Amino acid sequence: DHPDAIDDEQVSQLWRRAAEAYGKAGEQDEAVRVYRQAVKWNPDHVGTRMALAEMLLANGQLQAAANELDRILERDPDNVPALLRQGEVVAASGSWWRWNSPVSYWERVLALEPDNATARQLLADFYQDQADYHLSWADYESAVEMYQQALEYQPENARLLAALGG
């Protein structure tokens, strides 16, 4: 109640700055702990939640990062950075068949921003990886389909065109 007291948002900002310092010092576990304190003081600040998710990813905590990104997307379903990153997390988990496909997140980004280069690149890379997987099993028909899917997102990509030609 003191007139000079700082509000919750300012407390959160102090915790976030401390977390950033820990992150720069390579103390990722401590940075995660401190980011969580920042979120506790201002749970509605999307930037702090996103910074926590990024630090969780840097610390190898994929599931915790996915959970934090879900919290962001619950509050703001059209948050493009969170959608992009959540797709990457789902793809990196290696078990995307249990959840939404990473493609659904990136396609949502393109629905919001049709010219989003990052989403187009991630989709093209995803489909190229799928094509390469099918090639490794000599499933040429499926590989061709995956390369064609990739080219829908990057029609001028020389690497994809060469792979499809092969």
Side-chain angles (χ1 to χ4, degrees), residues 91 96 101-103 106 121-131 146 150:
W96 52 265
S101 166
V103 170
W106 301 325
Q121 181 67 52
L122 289 166
L123 282 159
D125 290 346
F126 177 81
Y127 283 117
Q128 182 175 14
D129 289 345
Q130 293 298 304
M146 293 296 106

Side-chain angles (χ1 to χ4, degrees), residues 50-66:
M50 195 68 186
L52 171 58
E54 293 293 342
M55 187 54 65
L56 288 164
L57 286 173
N59 204 27
Q61 297 173 274
L62 288 179
Q63 187 58 54

